[in-house]
Amino acid sequence: MTKKNKKIAWIEDDISIIQDVIQPLLNEGYTFEYLRNVKEALEKINLLKTVDLILLDLIFPTGDDTIDFNQYPGVSLLEKLRNDFNIETPVIVFTVVTNGQAHKRLRELGIVEIVNKPIRPSELKAIVEQVLNK
């Protein structure tokens, strides 16, 4: 499969962060689907089953205008994707969260990488290509 056929879903509420950081990947022909909250992700579950990679933030709205910062919606969503929908797509977590328990749970759920925000576009491109070329 060529890079031009690689589809990435990015679950992130702050799209302005994404635009600059993905430019090198767009230039290589990767395509992106943006999902801004848990509700959108669950509505597009069939899309999430077909992408080559999921980039996942941990803190974003659930979609019903509530957010509990003691909980990480990204962890809950990943649990749901893995356990309820059997989605085994590689996941890179892209976050500012440094909570050790959250990171431990993410690793238990089989994520391939935790990337701290902010990240340079060239770094993200290298990580994405490494994961997709395994």
Side-chain angles (χ1 to χ4, degrees):
M1 184 177 279
T2 67
K3 291 177 186 176
K4 289 179 175 49
N5 294 330
K6 297 285 186 178
K7 211 165 23 171
I8 300 170
W10 197 326
I11 305 169
E12 163 74 60
D13 60 318
D14 190 352
I15 299 301
S16 65
I17 289 174
I18 294 174
Q19 294 308 321
D20 292 336
V21 83
I22 66 165
Q23 197 56 54
L25 291 163
L26 291 172
N27 293 345
E28 290 288 325
Y30 291 88
T31 59
F32 283 82
E33 293 287 336
Y34 309 106
L35 306 167
R36 290 175 178 85
N37 55 52
V38 172
K39 184 176 182 236
E40 279 186 28
L42 293 177
E43 286 172 353
K44 302 236 176 160
I45 202 70
N46 287 330
L47 167 78
L48 292 175
K49 289 179 178 181
T50 63
V51 296
D52 299 290
L53 178 66
I54 297 171
L55 296 175
L56 176 66
D57 190 9
L58 295 187
I59 301 175
F60 50 81
T62 58
D64 58 8
D65 297 326
T66 63
I67 187 164
D68 177 357
F69 285 97
N70 292 321
Q71 297 266 333
Y72 299 114
V75 175
S76 300
L77 176 60
L78 184 57
E79 286 174 340
K80 195 166 204 50
L81 296 178
R82 295 289 199 231
N83 299 330
D84 296 353
F85 297 101
N86 298 314
I87 294 176
E88 296 301 323
T89 305
V91 174
I92 296 173
V93 172
F94 187 72
T95 189
V96 296
V97 173
T98 59
N99 180 297
Q101 285 300 103
H103 285 210
K104 180 177 184 242
R105 182 65 185 131
L106 291 165
R107 296 210 187 279
E108 290 169 357
L109 290 166
I111 59 127
V112 292
E113 188 80 45
I114 297 174
V115 176
N116 293 319
K117 292 179 184 178
I119 189 170
R120 289 193 317 262
S122 59
E123 289 177 285
L124 180 64
K125 181 177 180 273
I127 292 168
V128 165
E129 289 186 337
Q130 177 186 357
V131 168
L132 289 176
N133 292 324
K134 278 190 177 175

